[in-house]
Amino acid sequence: MRLRVEFTTEPFDLEEAPAHAVVAREVVRGAELDAVDVGPFGNTAEGGADAVLAAVDTMLRRSLAVGATRISLQINVIEGAAGEAVPDDAGDPAAPEAGR
């Protein structure tokens, strides 16, 4: 299974990246993840489930240790176990095709 993680760390500082943001970026860049994209207001990375979950664990622990007061995180499945793409609205009870 492949996962996509999107996250931001707070508090924000528009003048320079705070230590927690720098640490979070270092963790995802150093992990065995694909398609890593870091930015000033959010970060995204993709990879196998084990790699993403391990990186998230490390990122949370290290970012909190150096001053993050809030971390917003979203993880999405981007492929099924058999390698088939999962629709973006899979599992969304509001989606018309959900539950079929």
Side-chain angles (χ1 to χ4, degrees):
M1 175 184 329
R2 290 185 51 78
L3 301 176
R4 175 183 302 122
V5 60
E6 301 174 48
F7 66 91
T8 58
T9 61
E10 296 179 39
F12 293 115
D13 182 341
L14 297 177
E15 299 299 318
E16 66 180 84
H20 57 82
V22 172
V23 164
R25 291 174 187 166
E26 288 173 353
V27 168
V28 295
R29 285 182 174 151
E32 294 182 25
L33 301 173
D34 309 322
V36 174
D37 182 29
V38 298
F41 300 108
N43 307 283
T44 306
E46 297 178 6
D50 289 340
V52 169
L53 296 173
V56 166
D57 178 64
T58 301
M59 181 273 297
L60 291 171
R61 293 173 188 278
R62 291 187 56 203
S63 296
L64 291 167
V66 295
T69 58
R70 178 180 174 143
I71 301 171
S72 300
L73 175 70
Q74 180 172 314
I75 297 178
N76 292 299
V77 175
I78 56 174
E79 283 185 11
E84 296 178 12
V86 174
D88 288 341
D89 61 0
D92 181 354
E97 297 296 320
R100 289 189 182 178

